[in-house]
Amino acid sequence: MMMLKMMNPMGSMPSVPKVGGGDESNGLTKEEQKEQEQLRQEAIKKAERERQAKYKKEREVRDVERDKIRERYNIEKKQPEEEEEEEEDDEEEDAFGPKKKQEEEDPVTQA
């Protein structure tokens, strides 16, 4: 038995919820908890904005380098095509089974 406890680092008794709700408030009121959550959310948003700015800057540097290479080897830059229209057409073509008939009017009014 002692050998099993030594082999398992988590051999101690698992955490058991406390009686009375087990709320991990750390002695803070709900208002303080809300404030801390808002600060945490703001920090997350700020980090995300910084990350996006960093990658945007890196992308611009890459684009400049690519433009230099295109200019050196006389390669035309590919223009982004209108992919949205093509995707809509593809969805219609990829459908399985017979195409559904488009009902022009309500069946009740036709009768």
Side-chain angles (χ1 to χ4, degrees), residues 13-46:
M13 187 172 164
S15 61
V16 180
K18 297 179 182 178
V19 178
D23 190 18
E24 296 181 19
S25 62
N26 296 332
L28 301 175
T29 63
K30 287 185 179 184
E31 295 160 358
E32 291 172 339
Q33 288 176 352
K34 273 187 177 181
E35 185 177 329
Q36 284 186 349
E37 181 64 23
Q38 287 176 347
L39 292 173
R40 189 179 71 82
Q41 292 293 334
E42 289 174 11
I44 291 171
K45 288 177 184 178
K46 181 181 176 186

Side-chain angles (χ1 to χ4, degrees), residues 75-91:
I75 300 172
E76 293 181 16
K77 185 175 183 179
K78 292 182 182 179
Q79 297 296 325
E81 298 177 8
E82 297 178 27
E83 296 177 8
E84 293 177 11
E85 293 177 12
E86 293 176 6
E87 289 177 8
E88 291 175 6
D89 294 339
D90 291 342
E91 288 176 5

Side-chain angles (χ1 to χ4, degrees), residues 49-64:
R49 284 191 300 266
E50 290 173 356
R51 186 188 67 80
Q52 287 176 348
K54 173 187 167 188
Y55 287 117
K56 182 178 180 182
K57 186 177 178 181
E58 289 177 0
R59 189 178 321 120
E60 290 171 355
V61 170
R62 282 194 309 267
D63 288 343
V64 169

Side-chain angles (χ1 to χ4, degrees), residues 1-9 11-13:
M1 183 72 159
M2 189 65 157
M3 186 65 144
L4 291 174
K5 287 185 179 182
M6 291 175 59
M7 299 292 271
N8 187 0
S12 63
M13 187 172 164

